[in-house]
Structure formats: C-alpha cells, structure tokens
Amino acid sequence: MTLKLFAASHLVPVSSPPLEGGALAVENGRILAAGRLDDLSAAFNAPIVQFPGCAIIPGLVNAHSHLELTHFPAWKLRKGIDYSPRTYVDWIIQVIKIRRALTRQEREQSVAEGIRISRESGTTAVGEIVSDPSLISCYSGSRLAGRLYLEALGQDDVLCEQVLARIAGCLDGDHNGRLRLGLSPHTPHTLSARFFRGLKEFARQRALPLAVHLAESREEVAFLFDSTGPIADKLYPFVGWQEHVPRPRRSTPAAYLDSLGILSTGTLAIHCVHVTPADVEILRQRGVTVVLCPRSNDRLDHGAPPVHLLKKAGIPLALGTDSLASNDSLSMLDEVRFLLERFPGEFSAAEALRMITLAGGQALGIGDEVGSLEAGKRADFLVVEPAAGSADVDINRRVLESGRLREVFIQGNSLG
C-alpha cells in the first residue's frame, strides 16, 4: 500500500487528547505518524484523503463475542425452539438444544456472518470464544485482529482429557498471526475442579491467557454456595451430569476460582454481575480485567454489574457484546451507548470510548497493536460523522452520542 494521509476535522487518538485538523500517515497497513495535518503534509509527500466534518477514531474492540451464534435468532425459528427463556438455566438449555441440531456448514456460515456484521459496524478486533477448535480456520481471512479463546467445559475426566487433546492439537497450526490464541474455561459451574486445574497448568505451559464467564447469574451464585437451585435441578440432569453435582462449597464464584488459581494478571472475567466487595478485592489483587456485557445482562434479566465498585477498585474495564443469542446487535457503538444510559454519570465519554478501543485491546493483550492511533500500530480506524449543530460539545461525547459511522478502514484499506 502506498503512503497516504487521512485527514478529518477531528482526530481522536484515545491515547492522547483529540486534535482539531488532525491526520494519520499510513503505509503498508501501519500508522507512520499521527498529528496535525499541517505538520504531516509538510513531513510526508503523499496524497491526502479528506473527511471534512468528521472524526477519525480507532477501530473498535469487542472484548467478548460469540460470533458462532450470530444466526441464533433464525435458528430458533427454523428449529422450532422459538420461546423466550425467563431464567439463565432455561436460556442455556435452549442454546444447548439448538447447537446440538446444527450442521458444520450452519456454524461456519454463522461465523462468517458475524465477522461481516462486526466489521461493518466498526469492530476491527475481537475477543472471540470458539466452542470448537476446528472452527479456527473460519477466522483466518477475516482481517480482524484480536484473540480466539478456545472454550473448554466438562465434568467427566475422560471426556475432559479428550477436550484438552483437541485444543492441544490445534495450537501448532498457522493462524496467520493476526488472531492470537487463548483458553476459555467456560464457567465456575460447567467445569470440574480437576479440569480447571488442568487447564490452568496447560495455559501456563503454553503461555495462553484465560477468559472465564464469572458471576453472570443469580443461579450461579446459589449453586456455588450450596449446590442447589436450577443449575443442580435442571441443567445438570439435562446434560447428564447428575452424578457430578458437588458438595456445597460455601463460596462465591470469584472466591472459588481464586482457590483454584484461575484468577491472575491477564485473565478476563466476563460479566461479573453478582460480585461482592470481597470478590472485587480479589479481582483487584490478582490483576484481573473485567469485561462488561450490559445489554446481554439486561436481556437475560441478570441484573447490572456494580460498576461503581469496580471502578473505585481501579479494576480495568472493557466492553463486549456477547452474542446474538442474548443481544440485539453486534455493534460496539450500540453497546457503549447502552452503557452510558444504564449507568448515568459513572463514565465520562472519554472513559467509555477508551473501553471500546484501547482498554479492549489491552484486555486482549494486544494493546501494542490496536486500540489507539499511534505510530507503529495497525491502521485500523473509523470515520465517524457527528450530528450537526453540536460543535460546542466534547468530541468524544459527540462521537458516542450522535456519531454516524461513515467508513471503516482495516490495515489502511477501506471496507468499501
């Protein structure tokens, strides 16, 4: 790609204050420089692509997604399993029923559609949960950055060994360097303690970061405390785990995972709706990053995470859409707008924008590559047009509240 300058009325690097009359110098998919157009045009003899009245911001980072479930709403209708679950357990049983009936082609097509929708809505990096290691190839041509977290769950020792063997078998493949790998022990209630420990050791040996769904539902909290409730009474029998219901642990989900050594620097704790102050202190001490999925939590009636408590503790926060099995869209702009409405006064516009850009990249361990407009990083950026008549409002706020996505660039190339 030849050297080009991309200029707009505002440049929002995220890692530094916004600039009026800012621009990017881009060559071979990388940012060479970011600054004022006057300075860059003097330093580089290159054609200028102008976006008057617009802002250039970093590509968005969806720190938690399940793109494999993009076609879930259509599957519900086609498979005749179209009902509206009212509890976490009813919802997860519905998901299991539908996934059991899917063909390989249906899953591949769903991933492809999720990638397309994500990119067109401005997402250029993902923290994607992959339920089947053989689906990794579906992401190879996506041009997305990010990390693929290979999902693991199970209770039976023999079956758990088979799951781990499948994961190990795919780690030596060529993943094109764009999407790095990680490991996702599913939840505190879907893995045995032995399997959790085995995955932790496997991740340590392979230098793989972990992502785990944590304290998402009230049912999970009840099950981790005294092994009762719908998880024990409905979910375990449905998947044939009756004999694996544990003795009461008298623990919170976070304290339980901490006792197993799962929580550490680089671990993503996803959701964290039902965490106590003591849990938050554990997360802080262990250096965990929390990924919030507020629209998913709202849709499934899980409640809202204690964002004030998490922020006060200084825990890094990122944002994810989860999947279309529990959300209306894969748009990170939709997600962050909901966040600001759901938690009025908790986040400044600059903080919220950082959560879906640089903080997301740092959560995935790729903050050196994505999330801000800095020299050396991938040239992933968006052109956003704020609504007219709001020139006196902070540009971060204008972008988030009224911005219309005009164009998406991945590695300096427009999606067109």
Side-chain angles (χ1 to χ4, degrees):
M1 176 184 170
T2 58
L3 174 62
K4 287 184 181 179
L5 301 183
F6 296 89
S9 298
H10 297 273
L11 182 74
V12 186
V14 172
S15 56
S16 58
L19 286 173
E20 289 191 25
L24 298 176
V26 173
E27 185 175 35
N28 296 326
R30 294 277 167 178
I31 298 173
L32 294 183
R36 297 192 183 279
L37 176 59
D38 290 346
D39 296 332
L40 267 59
S41 58
F44 300 97
N45 181 20
I48 302 173
V49 182
Q50 294 269 14
F51 296 102
C54 295
I56 294 176
I57 70 171
L60 307 181
V61 181
N62 187 345
H64 180 64
S65 60
H66 296 260
L67 300 185
E68 181 186 337
L69 296 176
T70 300
H71 282 166
F72 189 86
W75 291 335
K76 286 173 60 177
L77 294 172
R78 202 161 67 242
K79 306 293 183 182
I81 313 178
D82 184 24
Y83 59 90
S84 297
R86 288 183 288 183
T87 68
Y88 166 78
V89 168
D90 288 341
W91 173 78
I92 200 68
I93 286 175
Q94 181 187 60
V95 172
I96 293 169
K97 286 179 180 178
I98 289 174
R99 288 176 66 165
R100 283 176 174 174
L102 296 175
T103 66
R104 166 79 184 207
Q105 184 180 30
E106 285 176 313
R107 290 185 293 152
E108 289 178 347
Q109 291 172 341
S110 188
V111 171
E113 181 70 356
I115 291 169
R116 183 191 68 80
I117 293 173
S118 296
R119 294 186 311 188
E120 290 182 358
S121 63
T123 293
T124 59
V126 294
E128 170 74 343
I129 306 298
V130 181
S131 69
D132 179 353
S134 70
L135 292 175
I136 287 179
S137 60
C138 297
Y139 302 84
S140 61
S142 69
R143 297 167 59 197
L144 294 172
R147 195 174 292 276
L148 304 179
Y149 292 94
L150 306 179
E151 188 175 67
L153 66 162
Q155 302 286 344
D156 178 81
D157 287 347
V158 173
L159 295 179
C160 290
E161 288 179 8
Q162 293 173 3
V163 170
L164 191 53
R166 284 197 298 273
I167 290 173
C170 80
L171 292 181
D172 299 326
D174 179 12
H175 309 300
N176 208 20
R178 293 195 182 105
L179 286 157
R180 306 176 196 183
L181 296 181
L183 200 58
S184 180
H186 182 232
T187 70
H189 59 275
T190 52
L191 284 85
S192 67
R194 180 193 290 256
F195 197 19
F196 259 121
R197 293 190 182 98
L199 289 169
K200 174 64 177 178
E201 177 60 19
F202 180 85
R204 186 193 66 79
Q205 293 174 357
R206 300 293 189 109
L208 297 172
L210 299 178
V212 58
H213 300 78
L214 177 63
E216 180 179 3
S217 68
R218 302 172 186 86
E219 292 94 327
E220 178 183 322
V221 174
F223 184 75
L224 263 291
F225 186 75
D226 59 14
S227 299
T228 62
I231 290 177
D233 299 339
K234 295 177 67 176
L235 179 60
Y236 269 46
F238 179 76
V239 295
W241 289 351
Q242 299 94 315
E243 64 185 82
H244 297 291
V245 175
R247 297 175 62 183
R249 296 190 175 98
R250 307 299 184 197
S251 177
T252 66
Y256 171 63
L257 290 190
D258 191 47
S259 73
L260 299 176
I262 299 300
L263 303 178
S264 61
T265 301
T267 298
L268 296 189
I270 302 151
H271 297 297
C272 291
V273 177
H274 300 282
V275 287
T276 67
D279 293 334
V280 171
E281 179 60 17
I282 290 172
L283 299 177
R284 185 194 69 78
Q285 291 181 3
R286 301 297 179 257
V288 170
T289 293
V290 170
V291 181
L292 305 176
C293 304
R295 285 191 297 163
S296 175
N297 301 152
D298 185 71
R299 166 71 75 84
L300 297 177
D301 196 28
H302 290 329
V307 296
H308 184 78
L309 187 62
L310 294 166
K311 283 189 65 181
K312 186 177 180 181
I315 293 174
L317 301 177
L319 208 59
T321 62
D322 214 315
S323 76
L324 291 190
S326 61
N327 209 337
D328 295 323
S329 80
L330 297 176
S331 166
M332 290 304 296
L333 288 175
D334 289 347
E335 197 70 38
V336 76
R337 287 164 180 163
F338 182 88
L339 176 84
L340 292 171
E341 292 175 2
R342 183 66 178 81
F343 303 101
E346 286 290 352
F347 300 94
S348 69
E351 287 175 323
L353 183 59
R354 186 181 180 90
M355 286 175 67
I356 60 173
T357 54
L358 186 55
Q362 292 169 339
L364 302 180
I366 57 170
D368 59 334
E369 281 282 299
V370 305
S372 61
L373 303 178
E374 300 178 77
K377 290 196 173 185
R378 279 174 46 125
D380 297 344
F381 59 94
L382 312 180
V383 178
V384 179
E385 182 179 10
S390 55
D392 58 333
V393 178
D394 170 67
I395 189 60
N396 295 295
R397 181 178 167 190
R398 291 173 62 196
V399 164
L400 293 185
E401 290 186 352
S402 65
R404 181 175 67 88
L405 183 60
R406 278 190 44 181
E407 201 157 350
V408 178
F409 289 82
I410 297 181
Q411 294 184 296
N413 296 304
S414 174
L415 289 184

